[in-house]
Amino acid sequence: VETRRRVGRPSRPVLSRDQIIETAFDVLSETGADDFTMARLAARLGVQTPALYNYVRDRRALVNLMRWDVSSRIDAKQFEVLPWDQAIIPWAISYRQVFATNPHIIALLAAVPIDGTEPSLIGLESIVRSFLRGGWPLARIVPAIVALESFIIGSSLDVLAERDSLGNGAHRTATTDVGAAVTEANLGHDGHEALAPTFARALRAQQAQYESSPADTAFRLGIETMIAGLRLELQKLAEGDPLPTTE
Amino acid sequence: VETRRRVGRPSRPVLSRDQIIETAFDVLSETGADDFTMARLAARLGVQTPALYNYVRDRRALVNLMRWDVSSRIDAKQFEVLPWDQAIIPWAISYRQVFATNPHIIALLAAVPIDGTEPSLIGLESIVRSFLRGGWPLARIVPAIVALESFIIGSSLDVLAERDSLGNGAHRTATTDVGAAVTEANLGHDGHEALAPTFARALRAQQAQYESSPADTAFRLGIETMIAGLRLELQKLAEGDPLPTTE
DNA sequence: ACCTGAACACCGTTCAAGT
DNA sequence: ACCTGAACACCGTTCAAGT
């Protein structure tokens, strides 16, 4: 309905890189990763598609700007003041929140290769230092952090499955079996009642007992479980009785 | 170089659904999720693109056939004979192996919505039953399984980052911060040495001490950590001292 | 410098035509 | 029933033209 912009350079720039990135997240959350296109983004911004190429080299570069934006929103500050096992919780919650507010970003980041831009390492550095202060042997720290981040990312993918199933039904995505099954159940399909009656009972019991969704309940259970397990591991390491590390 | 097929129905079918799916995984592993196209798949199969539509309704349906294929390869049989905490390990290894052999599938599954096909629930049912036999309260079982699967899926994504960085460098994908950082380090970039010296030391120590990659070491550490944590949790539940479940 | 419009290669999907 | 070839809408990207 808007009046068509006439050709030639506008008196003031119509776009900005920040605005493009911000809008990109909006578009992504509506279309999902597979239908996230430069054309749709341009349309939302009220410009022709080629205009975007004044600000980003190509689609891959745009996604990598989104990657950087996402990782900069994860708050690891607590590792500077709290002991490692206490800092994990607020960090993990912040981490998951960033992805949970727009879970489609995970598929996009996993699908689009990284370009040359350096990852932000500030958070990582202070996490490692916190583990070190807590008495962790140097060689075990990276694996521990990788394990934690893996869990958090995986948990964020559950949010994708769940939110889609609660929404208008246009999108229903899932990566895990349980994710798919819970999604189906949320949609009111009851095929699982006959095929997997015990699972169906367990799911109903979960829903009756906890207000939060399976994904949220699982996230809290999982992160607390991992912290407890890591504390145990650290204790064993201190006693000179390390867990077996080879298969 | 092949002789061109002439128009009209061939005497015997050139394709089969199984062959299409199998080849789809091959193509995916070479192109990555973002460049996985019907056209490339058809070319690999030696047919024109529209020929595929005799066997699958559309790209989404094809991806959902791949989804089903992947989940059917996960082996949960051990839950029928072993106690829950012992069965988790072989199941998790099988689970991760399925995804680790072609980690690009995760991005594809996360990007493409599920269609109406029912998820396979056989494995899920026997996992729930095993937890129940082990004394788990019904309402805690689904969250525990969701947490475990989340971790496994997240860990498989690490494999994506890592393998890409060890390969020809055509693809370099990562979802987590550490994943990206480890990828960079594997590529010989040493930007992190100055920016995050403690992290750099920890990474070197890990590489010196363990033969396996950070992703593999983290997977074993994480799954053992979660099992230990879950055992502890079950113990506490038995003592009537449940972990807090509300924030 | 920063937009539009035209152009091109490629993609998903449909459909008529051929056997 | 099962392939090809033509056709169409849409996508990413490049580039000349315009201010």
Side-chain angles (χ1 to χ4, degrees), chain A residues 61-75:
Chain A
L62 170 63
V63 172
N64 275 283
L65 289 171
M66 296 169 79
R67 188 192 304 279
W68 196 88
D69 192 80
V70 155
S71 78
S72 73
R73 288 205 295 266
I74 299 170
D75 181 3

Side-chain angles (χ1 to χ4, degrees), chain B residues 3 52 64 70 77 81 87 91 94 96 98-99 132 150 155 159 161 189 196 202 209 212 218 226 230 232:
Chain B
T3 166
L52 299 175
N64 275 284
V70 156
K77 281 196 309 293
V81 290
W91 166 73
S94 151
R96 183 168 180 267
V98 166
F99 284 100
L132 213 48
S150 300
S155 299
V159 177
H189 299 190
Q209 180 153 346
S212 47
M226 288 194 84
L230 287 174
L232 215 62

Side-chain angles (χ1 to χ4, degrees), chain B residues 19-32:
Chain B
Q19 186 199 9
I20 289 173
I21 296 172
E22 195 186 322
T23 311
F25 281 103
D26 293 343
V27 173
L28 174 63
S29 77
E30 289 167 23
T31 63

Side-chain angles (χ1 to χ4, degrees), chain B residues 1 12 36 59 62 66 110 162 196 205 228 232 241:
Chain B
V1 243
R12 287 195 312 116
F36 174 74
R59 197 181 102 108
L62 170 64
M66 296 169 80
E162 209 159 70
L232 215 62
D241 175 27

Side-chain angles (χ1 to χ4, degrees), chain A residues 140 232-244:
Chain A
R140 288 301 253 181
L232 216 62
E233 160 89 356
L234 181 58
Q235 215 171 297
K236 281 190 190 166
L237 286 169
E239 291 163 9
D241 175 29
L243 287 178

